[in-house]
Amino acid sequence: MNETEGLRFRRVHRPQVITDELPEHRLKGTGTYSGKVFQVTLLSLGGFLLLPLLFILLVLESPIHPEVFSLKEPPQMKGCWEPNLKLREAERLYEDHLLGPESIANIGDVLYAGTADGKIVRLIGRRIHTVTRLGKLPCGSREQEDSCGRPLGLRAGPNGTLFVADAYLGVFEVNPSTGETTRLVTGGQLVAGRKLSFINDIAVTRDGRKLYFTDSSSRWQRRDYLQLLMEATADGRVLELDLETRELTVVMENLRFPNGIQLLPDEESVLVAETTMARIRRVHVAGLNKGGMDTFVDNLPGFPDNVRPSSGGGRPWIKKFIFKLFSPEVLMKFVPRYSLVAELHDGGVCTRSFHDPGGLVAAYISEVHEHDGSLYLGSFRSPYIAKLDLNKV
């Protein structure tokens, strides 16, 4: 973000009329009176506009306390990143019958998703079956979200169960046949002195012995994700749960909005989308480099969300001012929609990308799940799942 200059007030010069009269012979007439009225009016108007601004800046307390950080200039949209319309070939499934299907998993040919109203659903053909509800009714408002629950990350385990990361309620194992749920981690608990306030995504090893999940912030909850993004707080973590001993440990901390997580094939590292920083980090969770971290890909053209396998900065005072004036709901209306899915290989090299400028068909994409030659696109906000047949693009 460019350096912002201070406000400069330009002195208002009184218009002068050149006449043949000497100043001492001028009469006090309507011209002089009008000039004074103009000055008084201008000063009153300036005060009227300035006082509320000073009140906002000096009296109102901002809900966020932004940290100073900087981002590089975003990369040019060329080569692999060249804009296209491939995502517009997608079709919408279950439109207006699902709300915010953030994450998608499959067991065989059956798809599962978690929705904004706290449910885990099974999708067969055109039918939607509720497997379980993690929280309790009522649902639907911002204030009810923490008791209703908000399933985010969803994974199929090796024994045919589902592992679910709920932003508020914790980490669960769900039997998709019976709907029986087991809470493995309780949301809001203290781990190494900090609360699990925003549990986000989850990954499970092939043998089902360990889970890794992201906690995006110990200060902000999911419903405050815009504040977290703008504040750029470095209080996010990656945690490991040993399913045999139930030991819960912190693997990496001081991340800025860690979001999606994906185990690499060797299962010694996980990729973590660090949303605020527009990059993906590689965190070493086992082996000789355990406890270390490096950057898998930096300076992405947008803010990454979930990470899944395929088959193949700013000035703090400005952010404070924005959040004093507008609610997160209002701010979302000003965020331009642009949907972008990218496939990255070793070294963070982009190999192909799919775009929908304006998000006309697939909007607010949160995850891409590849299954049986198609991409299933989840969304934290849209009322549908979008399906893209890869044979068409």
Side-chain angles (χ1 to χ4, degrees), residues 18 22 96 214 334:
I18 301 175
L22 295 175
D96 296 327
T214 51
F334 293 97

Side-chain angles (χ1 to χ4, degrees), residues 228-249:
L228 171 59
L229 190 63
M230 292 290 279
E231 189 174 71
T233 316
D235 66 342
R237 299 182 290 178
V238 176
L239 296 99
E240 176 189 277
L241 174 66
D242 188 312
L243 288 172
E244 293 185 341
T245 65
R246 297 300 172 94
E247 182 181 7
L248 184 59
T249 57

Side-chain angles (χ1 to χ4, degrees), residues 103-114:
S103 185
I104 303 165
N106 72 282
I107 298 178
D109 288 329
V110 179
L111 296 179
Y112 296 86

